[in-house]
Amino acid sequence: MQDPTIALLKDLVAIDSVNPSLVPGGAGEGAIAERIAAELRASGLDVQVAEAAPGRPNVFGVIDSGRAGPSLMLCGHSDTVGVEGMTAPFDPVVRDGKLFGRGAQDMKGGVASILAAARRLAQSPAGLKGRVIVAIVADEEYASVGADAAVADWKADAAVVAEPTDLAIGIGHKGFEWVEVETQGVAAHGSRPDDGVDAILMMGRLLGEMDALERGFIAGPAHPLLGRPSLHASLIGGGRELSTYPDRCTLSIERRTVTGEAPQSLLREIESVLGRLRATDPRFRASARLTFARSPYLTPEGHPLPRLLRESLGRPTTVGAMSFWTDAAILGEAGMASVVFGPGGAGLHGLEEYVRLDEVLACREALVEVARRFCA
Ligand SMILES: [Zn+2]
């Protein structure tokens, strides 16, 4: 007989929950939130559905032991990235112990593990103290409005974010900053060099300085766990036609940050470069603005959760940093010591995505066990 957790995972993958901020027209989290809320209610949890933004529901479920004790949040996100180019993104298929479909790995596998663990804990709460809170949030793939809203209303002593880690225990990741720069030139006919100022060549001066900054990061000190900061030029645009001096060029830059760096590091670095370039050439005109930023994250040193989770998993695993950003940074900033731990697979954001079913079940067992050990 099929394990009910796998049946639940298939249900979740079959529900389109493409993030509508990321992909215009995406279905959003409405339908999947209903399914998740129904599952939690059927498991005996106290359930609340709250909109983080219009049409963007978060789902919360609480197991309250009725006894004073620590609280643990089990957190996942219900949205997925887009499905362009995929043949059957919402038809979950099991093959060779893997379940294929959009969101299987990122992160409906982890969400299924959380929901199944919550069912087990709600149905046999003996020995549990404090509270276990399930939080399945919207919009992680775009701006994390779900996690931002969740931490405004909910608090726990610690949290496990079940993003895919191949059952490794993630105790940190980098943050990121996005800055947009515009250089202003003067449009003129290509035959009139004395009238024109080339905004694209002006941007080239900034690009050269960015290259120097990045080489500085390569040569500079690295964070012992998170590695070195980095930056790259992500998107560039400018120019009107071949025979015209471009009056405008825009560049979007991404910088990955590590703990210990000041907020808005990238904006300050770029402003400083622009200041130097202005000082050396009065024709150089440019402006920069921060468009988005998220903090890096580290689990507080010495916190018991990583150890408890490793013991709960009961098989060899690694404890370390992850390459990608997660909502753990938002939970951590709100005072919840968080670790990232979830079932592995492949194809995250790719055309063929799958999660390993044995790891979904192992994650479920570890979450049950870690809740019992932490809420004790
Ligand atoms: Zn994810």
Side-chain angles (χ1 to χ4, degrees), residues 77 79 105-107 140-141 162-164 324-326 348-349:
H77 64 83
D79 60 316
Q105 187 197 16
D106 185 14
M107 56 166 286
E140 194 275 343
E141 299 290 0
E163 289 273 16
F324 53 91
W325 189 89
T326 73
L348 174 104
H349 297 200

Side-chain angles (χ1 to χ4, degrees), residues 58 64 70 72 109 128 154 180 186 196 204 245 272 290 292 300 308 376:
N58 285 339
D64 194 334
L72 179 69
L128 215 57
W154 296 82
E180 192 177 278
V186 176
Y245 277 75
S272 149
L290 184 74
F292 197 64
L308 292 176

Side-chain angles (χ1 to χ4, degrees), residues 109-170:
V111 169
S113 303
I114 290 174
L115 299 179
R119 178 177 283 260
R120 185 93 60 79
L121 290 163
Q123 292 178 349
S124 28
L128 215 57
K129 291 181 184 166
R131 305 203 298 170
V132 176
I133 301 163
V134 172
I136 309 298
V137 300
D139 192 44
E140 194 275 343
E141 299 290 0
Y142 186 70
S144 290
V145 300
D148 275 339
V151 298
D153 292 336
W154 296 82
K155 289 279 174 285
D157 294 307
V160 180
V161 177
E163 289 273 16
T165 65
D166 302 307
L167 300 180
I169 295 167

Side-chain angles (χ1 to χ4, degrees), residues 27-319:
E29 300 89 351
I32 198 160
E34 278 181 30
R35 178 68 183 85
I36 290 166
E39 178 68 23
L40 291 172
R41 276 192 205 101
S43 302
L45 282 80
D46 282 332
V47 177
Q48 286 185 33
V49 178
E51 289 206 325
R56 311 298 299 275
N58 285 339
V59 185
F60 303 95
V62 178
I63 302 163
D64 194 334
S65 69
R67 299 195 291 164
S71 52
L72 179 69
M73 179 179 279
L74 305 178
C75 183
H77 64 83
S78 56
D79 60 316
T80 71
V81 295
V83 297
E84 199 181 291
M86 294 179 82
T87 44
F90 308 118
D91 286 335
V93 172
V94 174
R95 203 168 57 235
D96 304 330
K98 303 162 183 166
L99 186 138
F100 292 80
R102 173 52 86 225
Q105 187 197 16
D106 185 14
M107 56 166 286
K108 291 175 175 179
V111 169
S113 303
I114 290 174
L115 299 179
R119 178 177 283 260
R120 185 93 60 79
L121 290 163
Q123 292 178 349
S124 28
L128 215 57
K129 291 181 184 166
R131 305 203 298 170
V132 176
I133 301 163
V134 172
I136 309 298
V137 300
D139 192 44
E140 194 275 343
E141 299 290 0
Y142 186 70
S144 290
V145 300
D148 275 339
V151 298
D153 292 336
W154 296 82
K155 289 279 174 285
D157 294 307
V160 180
V161 177
E163 289 273 16
T165 65
D166 302 307
L167 300 180
I169 295 167
I171 55 167
H173 56 66
K174 290 178 182 176
F176 62 93
E177 289 179 36
W178 293 343
V179 164
E180 192 177 278
V181 181
E182 181 177 322
T183 49
Q184 290 105 33
V186 176
H189 192 274
S191 66
R192 303 184 63 87
D194 293 341
D195 296 344
V197 176
D198 185 333
I200 294 177
L201 282 182
M202 292 297 179
M203 190 64 86
R205 296 180 188 180
L206 172 64
L207 288 169
E209 295 288 331
M210 281 177 56
D211 191 37
L213 275 173
E214 171 64 2
R215 278 184 279 118
F217 292 143
I218 293 170
H223 186 280
L225 187 70
L226 301 179
R228 69 172 179 89
S230 61
L231 68 76
H232 70 276
S234 307
L235 294 162
I236 191 163
R240 294 176 183 278
E241 67 240 334
L242 209 46
S243 59
T244 301
Y245 277 75
D247 59 347
R248 187 171 172 266
C249 179
T250 58
L251 176 70
S252 299
I253 307 164
E254 181 181 75
R255 171 133 150 35
R256 296 280 160 161
T257 58
V258 300
T259 50
E261 294 193 283
Q264 307 205 352
S265 289
L266 176 61
L267 185 61
R268 285 185 298 101
E269 287 154 359
I270 296 299
E271 294 279 18
S272 149
V273 168
L274 296 182
R276 283 206 306 279
L277 294 173
R278 279 188 206 103
T280 55
D281 183 350
R283 294 177 312 148
F284 185 89
R285 288 168 57 220
S287 58
R289 66 187 183 98
L290 184 74
T291 55
F292 197 64
R294 286 298 188 188
S295 309
Y297 179 68
L298 279 180
T299 310
E301 226 179 307
H303 196 279
L305 189 58
R307 175 181 53 82
L308 292 176
L309 195 46
R310 201 180 60 226
E311 290 166 3
S312 300
L313 180 62
R315 62 160 101 166
T317 187
T318 57
V319 180

